[in-house]
Amino acid sequence: MQENQQTEAVQRIERFEDTPEFKAFQERYAELMSDGNPYFIVHDSPLTDTSLMDGKRVLNFGSYNYAGMSGRKEVSDAAIDAIRKYGTSASGSRLLAGEKSLDQQLEREIADWKHTEAALVLVGGHSTNVTFVGNFVGPGDLVVYDSLIHNSVAEGCRLSHATARPFPHNDYEALRRILSTRRDRFSKVLIVIEGVYSMDGDVAPVPEFVKVKKEFGCFLMVDEAHSTCVIGETGGGVDEYFHLAPTDIDIKMGTLSKGLGACGGYIAGSKNLIEYMRYSLPGFVFSVGISPALAAAALKALELVRHDPSVMENMRRNVQCFMAEAKKHHFNTCLAGETAILPILVGDEEAAMVLSNAMREKGVFVPPAIYPAVPRGGARLRFCVTAAHKPEQIVEALDKLDACAREHGIQLPE
């Protein structure tokens, strides 16, 4: 009887257009896109220091091609050769359909790069986090994660049915307080942080989190999507940057789609952990392997990043140049300073959209980041510099931002 009463009280929806979520989307879209849509912009070229947009060459500050590997001849040639030898697809789950020698070579190289015993490559970075977190912990376990953690980790927490608790951004003392009262209530405890945060561009104090994980007997996972190929002498990420011991971080996660110019995700860790995941992780076992072209491209890119010193030298030069120019203009760069993500705070969402569209008209592509990617009132233009950029391009872009803000009467926070 109670179920029938509930059914009668529910409004029946038979068209998606009548759902409250679509109506809310329409309202927000109309409000923010009134001066033009800065998203889903079409580029007809690799996204390096420049890209081809509507037949015109523009300065590109919107891509994750941090090391400039996507579009680099050696990487493209490796992908083409792999297609000729292996075809365009893995054509099945590696567990059942078999794998390529390329897969094994790539995983050995990643493990060596990340100073671990083994590594496992999956088809996407987001899905790697979802499937790993969602299955590494479960009921009776605890996940504690940074409040600015990526959506993929939050989705993994929901899938896991573990108890999940955030702690304030980079606040390892707050984490310590949480664990001091709760650690003994749970079997496994997984701490999840990022090496570099994707909206503010700041480097996490990883050594402090290592101390906490050792103190309380937890597992530490670091998402290095935005720190590998960006920090460290040869782009090795937080291990190299902080001179960590190989086992200080238990689970090292990263992507192939950013600095390595391909697409996919990876987990690096102990031999036993990786061997277990090869047979047990749903996102690997029940999914196709990455294409041979992507594996070959990532393998060649990794070789270049590790052995061509100019890549990281150019990256560091460009970050320093951007920060110096931003300071000249009194721009607020949030928490950034050492990484490829260099946001300029705008504050108001509509103003960020206007500036992004205006910059594009002046030949500079830089996308806006708005809520829910950032807090309300924290809208920004998120510049991404790459090793391929030249200092004069950075100077031009920030000069044009200053001019656009003046033209539209937008006062940028200092």
Side-chain angles (χ1 to χ4, degrees), residues 20 47 59 63 83 138 150 155 157 211 220 232 355 362 371 412:
L47 306 183
L59 296 181
S63 89
I83 289 174
H150 193 263
E155 291 298 311
C157 290
K211 292 178 185 176
L220 176 62
L355 285 175
K362 290 184 180 291
Y371 178 84
L412 294 175

Side-chain angles (χ1 to χ4, degrees), residues 319-335:
V319 171
Q320 292 166 5
C321 174
F322 188 100
M323 290 301 296
E325 290 300 311
K327 186 175 181 180
K328 287 180 186 177
H329 289 287
H330 304 287
F331 292 149
N332 185 327
T333 53
C334 302
L335 302 176

Side-chain angles (χ1 to χ4, degrees), residues 100-341:
K100 310 289 190 291
S101 57
L102 272 175
D103 299 316
Q104 298 173 352
Q105 292 171 34
L106 177 59
E107 288 170 347
R108 285 196 298 268
E109 189 72 14
I110 289 172
D112 183 67
W113 187 42
K114 297 306 300 172
H115 308 291
T116 61
E117 293 177 339
L120 187 68
V121 170
L122 296 89
V123 291
H126 187 283
S127 56
T128 295
N129 275 344
V130 173
T131 195
F132 178 81
V133 175
N135 292 277
F136 181 76
V137 290
D141 297 331
L142 171 67
V143 185
V144 272
Y145 58 89
D146 192 285
S147 59
L148 296 187
I149 205 70
H150 193 263
N151 166 269
S152 55
V153 173
E155 291 298 311
C157 290
R158 290 204 305 166
L159 176 66
S160 73
H161 297 294
T163 300
R165 294 285 183 271
F167 56 86
H169 181 50
N170 281 339
D171 193 340
Y172 46 87
E173 290 298 344
L175 172 62
R176 180 175 275 112
R177 289 193 293 273
I178 291 171
L179 293 176
S180 66
T181 60
R182 300 188 184 190
R183 173 63 184 95
D184 292 338
R185 304 179 194 176
F186 301 94
S187 299
K188 294 196 299 291
V189 175
L190 177 65
I191 301 167
V192 191
I193 61 173
E194 295 182 30
V196 168
Y197 284 86
S198 60
M199 289 297 154
D200 285 303
D202 55 318
V203 182
V206 180
E208 298 300 331
F209 287 104
V210 171
K211 292 178 185 176
V212 174
K213 89 107 185 190
K214 291 180 177 179
E215 179 181 348
F216 291 94
C218 306
F219 295 92
L220 176 62
M221 175 180 181
V222 181
D223 178 336
E224 290 212 75
H226 297 277
S227 52
T228 49
C229 302
V230 174
I231 61 174
E233 189 66 26
T234 65
V238 296
D239 306 89
E240 198 170 59
Y241 183 82
F242 288 111
H243 305 291
L244 299 177
T247 57
D248 280 346
I249 300 170
D250 302 283
I251 301 105
K252 303 175 184 182
M253 178 271 169
T255 75
L256 310 180
S257 61
K258 297 177 174 61
L260 295 179
C263 194
Y266 67 81
I267 293 288
S270 70
K271 179 181 177 181
N272 288 337
L273 172 67
I274 299 302
E275 188 67 7
Y276 169 79
M277 291 195 300
R278 282 170 61 85
Y279 290 91
S280 309
L281 199 62
F284 177 78
V285 172
F286 298 105
S287 179
V288 69
I290 67 170
S291 75
L294 293 174
L299 187 60
K300 176 55 70 172
L302 189 48
E303 175 190 325
L304 292 169
V305 168
R306 297 186 75 183
H307 302 296
D308 180 357
S310 69
V311 175
M312 293 309 301
E313 288 170 1
N314 290 344
M315 170 66 73
R316 287 186 285 270
R317 176 202 67 194
N318 290 340
V319 171
Q320 292 166 5
C321 174
F322 188 100
M323 290 301 296
E325 290 300 311
K327 186 175 181 180
K328 287 180 186 177
H329 289 287
H330 304 287
F331 292 149
N332 185 327
T333 53
C334 302
L335 302 176
E338 299 179 75
T339 73
I341 297 170

